[in-house]
């Protein structure tokens, strides 16, 4: 069962699919914490929501991913990058 107060990581959060997924997920689970990762190569900076803990970077950057995982410990990952 999915917890209502979970921490999730969304890669590609600023693209079309990732940003729409974020909005729908936040409606369903409003108390969840969202960590977003995107290199903004095709997404729009205007899609960044103030309630997202946002990291600009690549999913290929292992040191950035390690930092995100150590700091936030996401329970689920949704990969749209």
């Amino acid at each position: 069962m999915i917890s209502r107060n979970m921490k999730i990581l969304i890669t590609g959060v600023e693209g079309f699919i990732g940003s729409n997924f974020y909005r729908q997920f936040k409606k369903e689970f409003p108390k969840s914490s969202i960590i977003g990762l995107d290199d903004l190569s095709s997404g729009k900076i205007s899609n960044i929501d103030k309630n997202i803990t946002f990291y600009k970077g690549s999913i290929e950057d292992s040191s950035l991913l390690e930092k995100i995982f150590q700091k936030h410990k996401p329970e689920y990952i949704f990969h749209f990058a």
Side-chain angles (χ1 to χ4, degrees), residues 11-30:
T11 65
V13 72
E14 301 314 318
F16 179 76
I17 296 171
S19 62
N20 282 297
F21 175 83
Y22 161 76
R23 284 190 284 281
Q24 187 62 38
F25 190 89
K26 201 63 173 169
K27 283 181 191 176
E28 184 72 26
F29 303 101

Side-chain angles (χ1 to χ4, degrees), residues 26-43:
K26 201 63 173 169
K27 283 181 191 176
E28 184 72 26
F29 303 101
K31 293 183 179 183
S32 60
S33 298
I34 311 289
I35 301 100
L37 174 64
D38 202 302
D39 66 2
L40 300 175
S41 62
S42 63

Side-chain angles (χ1 to χ4, degrees), residues 3-10 22 25-26 29-36 51-53 72 74-76:
S3 165
R4 296 274 177 193
N5 298 335
M6 68 193 107
K7 290 183 184 179
I8 69 164
L9 171 63
I10 303 174
Y22 161 76
F25 190 89
K26 201 63 173 169
F29 303 101
K31 293 183 179 183
S32 60
S33 298
I34 311 289
I35 301 100
N51 296 314
I52 294 177
T53 302
H72 301 285
E75 298 169 66
Y76 298 95

Side-chain angles (χ1 to χ4, degrees), residues 52-63:
I52 294 177
T53 302
F54 180 73
Y55 290 88
K56 182 180 178 191
S58 172
I59 61 168
E60 296 178 343
D61 183 344
S62 59
S63 63

